Amino acid sequence: AQSVTQLDSHVSVSEGTPVLLRCNYSSSYSPSLFWYVQHPNKGLQLLLKYTSAATLVKGINGFEAEFKKSETSFHLTKPSAHMSDAAEYFCVVPPNRDDKIIFGKGTRLHILP
Amino acid sequence: EAGVAQSPRYKIIEKRQSVAFWCNPISGHATLYWYQQILGQGPKLLIQFQNNGVVDDSQLPKDRFSAERLKGVDSTLKIQPAKLEDSAVYLCASSLGLPGPETQYFGPGTRLLVL
């Protein structure tokens, strides 16, 4: 079965500093992986997706993630945090290559002024 | 393109009362999902509709929760009677039904507080 583990429930960074949100996956095959973002009082939005093409995936708002099979990781990064990045972030793997989504507990990103 | 609409945005009720949430999906989206997101957790799928038929309701607490999508467009999720542990955000999502979870578009959610 496929699953993800988000290693941090909360991450705090200062504005203008790099962001790293960690995600490790478990899968019996090369999975598709996704990052979603949820801003307060707004709907979930797809940030980026990996589907076995390029291992470095660029998403919206300057975020990117790198698929590392050797480390079974798909960490989300951004070179310079902005106050508007404060939100909840979810790493997701579809369990059965279909349209179902199983969310982990998420990582709440706090941006310090 | 209009997004997924949900109402109300907030609801406060007492335990044992009933409550209903409404969702209007993106026009043309055949698949509709209801998720429950408890504070501090990721969303959990409650029920999935394909047009007006139920595809998956394995995680819906059927003793108190019900959902319908009678005309294959908008949908209603009901809780009767509500319990304290039902306090959560209820998210609706819709998609064209194509493979891949990235095709789901989410609404802003209804925040329910049960006192």
Side-chain angles (χ1 to χ4, degrees):
Chain A
Q2 283 61 246
S3 66
V4 293
T5 302
Q6 290 185 248
L7 299 167
D8 307 293
S9 58
H10 293 266
V11 170
S12 295
V13 301
S14 296
E15 190 174 20
T17 65
V19 175
L20 171 64
L21 304 183
R22 298 183 294 166
C23 172
N24 285 102
Y25 70 91
S26 172
S27 177
S28 56
Y29 54 86
S30 184
S32 297
L33 290 161
F34 305 80
W35 276 98
Y36 280 82
V37 59
Q38 186 176 34
H39 288 94
N41 300 315
K42 292 187 178 180
L44 280 155
Q45 182 181 21
L46 181 67
L47 201 56
L48 52 80
K49 63 180 179 180
Y50 166 76
T51 54
S52 75
T55 56
L56 182 62
V57 182
K58 294 187 183 299
I60 61 173
N61 302 333
F63 283 93
E64 61 183 36
E66 185 171 9
F67 176 76
K68 292 186 176 180
K69 187 174 181 179
S70 60
E71 299 176 8
T72 61
S73 69
F74 190 57
H75 301 334
L76 183 70
T77 61
K78 183 174 180 178
S80 177
H82 190 272
M83 293 300 291
S84 61
D85 294 329
E88 189 93 23
Y89 292 81
F90 295 94
C91 182
V92 170
V93 59
N96 296 310
R97 303 198 200 207
D98 59 12
D99 61 338
K100 301 287 194 298
I101 302 179
I102 295 181
F103 290 88
K105 292 188 175 182
T107 299
R108 181 163 293 277
L109 177 62
H110 304 269
I111 310 297
L112 308 173
Chain B
E1 178 184 79
V4 176
Q6 291 187 248
S7 67
R9 293 296 309 277
Y10 306 92
K11 189 73 177 179
I12 300 175
I13 62 173
E14 294 186 350
K15 60 183 179 183
R16 291 188 289 273
Q17 286 187 323
S18 301
V19 65
F21 314 127
W22 175 81
C23 171
N24 190 24
I26 292 173
S27 178
H29 279 195
T31 308
L32 186 147
Y33 312 79
W34 283 102
Y35 291 85
Q36 179 193 57
Q37 185 176 17
I38 294 173
L39 185 65
Q41 299 181 19
K44 180 184 79 172
L45 179 68
L46 292 176
I47 189 168
Q48 176 184 350
F49 290 95
Q50 180 72 21
N51 296 309
N52 61 349
V54 175
V55 174
D56 183 356
D57 64 356
S58 57
Q59 297 197 88
L60 186 74
K62 298 180 185 64
D63 58 334
R64 298 184 299 107
F65 285 66
S66 63
E68 59 184 14
R69 193 184 184 199
L70 292 175
K71 296 183 179 179
V73 181
D74 55 352
S75 176
T76 303
L77 177 69
K78 296 180 181 178
I79 308 176
Q80 181 179 8
K83 293 185 176 181
L84 296 178
E85 58 262 36
D86 298 332
S87 294
V89 176
Y90 291 85
L91 297 168
C92 180
S94 71
S95 77
L96 288 168
L98 299 173
E102 70 270 31
T103 61
Q104 291 187 36
Y105 293 83
F106 287 83
T110 295
R111 187 175 298 273
L112 173 67
L113 179 60
V114 182
L115 302 175

